[in-house]
Amino acid sequence: MTTPAPSVDEAQQRPVGVSMINPIVIMVGLTVVAGGIGTALGHPWFAAWFLVGGLLAVLNAKLAVLKVATVTAEDEPRKTPVAVNSMVRLGVVSVIAIVIAYFFRPDGLGVIFGLAVGQIVLVLNTVIPVLKGLRQQS
């Protein structure tokens, strides 16, 4: 037995809010772990840059959500502003990460690892509730 999807009108009336609290808390916890490992290996600043990378990933995701919300609120939403905004944001985040990694090496590589782990945390933060919802429906 399947449940019918809500009508478009009902879906548009509900406020959509994306919370970044869970990813930030998880990144802080992972930073503590990275700090312990980095300190044990003689690189205590690795954790600080790891946290910067994770927060850059979360900031990037939040800015993407805000841009999509702005564009979809228009009468005739277009994909081009979202694509251009995404390209610029990813370019800026990449340049920041590469500059930090280069000038603060070897500990600066933590920002690259933080970005990667931050993206994984954000994807899991999105996918796990969806999978739980699908499991409850079946």
Side-chain angles (χ1 to χ4, degrees):
M1 176 179 220
T2 60
T3 306
S7 70
V8 175
D9 294 334
E10 291 174 15
Q12 287 179 349
Q13 290 173 356
R14 281 187 247 143
V16 177
V18 177
S19 174
M20 295 294 170
I21 301 297
N22 285 342
I24 291 172
V25 169
I26 293 169
M27 281 307 301
V28 169
L30 291 173
T31 300
V32 170
V33 172
I37 293 171
T39 302
L41 297 175
H43 296 282
W45 283 99
F46 180 86
W49 293 118
F50 182 87
L51 180 62
V52 168
L55 293 178
L56 277 173
V58 172
L59 176 66
N60 181 39
K62 185 64 177 177
L63 290 174
V65 168
L66 292 174
K67 183 62 178 178
V68 169
T70 302
V71 170
T72 54
E74 297 174 359
D75 291 335
E76 294 183 29
R78 297 176 302 137
K79 296 177 188 175
T80 306
V82 176
V84 170
N85 182 270
S86 294
M87 183 178 65
V88 170
R89 272 185 300 97
L90 291 174
V92 169
V93 168
S94 298
V95 167
I96 291 170
I98 290 169
V99 166
I100 290 172
Y102 180 77
F103 284 110
F104 297 97
R105 63 180 175 237
D107 293 336
L109 283 175
V111 77
I112 304 293
F113 286 100
L115 277 171
V117 171
Q119 291 299 322
I120 292 169
V121 167
L122 287 164
V123 167
L124 290 176
N125 190 50
T126 304
V127 170
I128 290 174
V130 171
L131 292 176
K132 285 182 180 178
L134 290 174
R135 178 180 278 180
Q136 289 175 355
Q137 283 182 356
S138 59

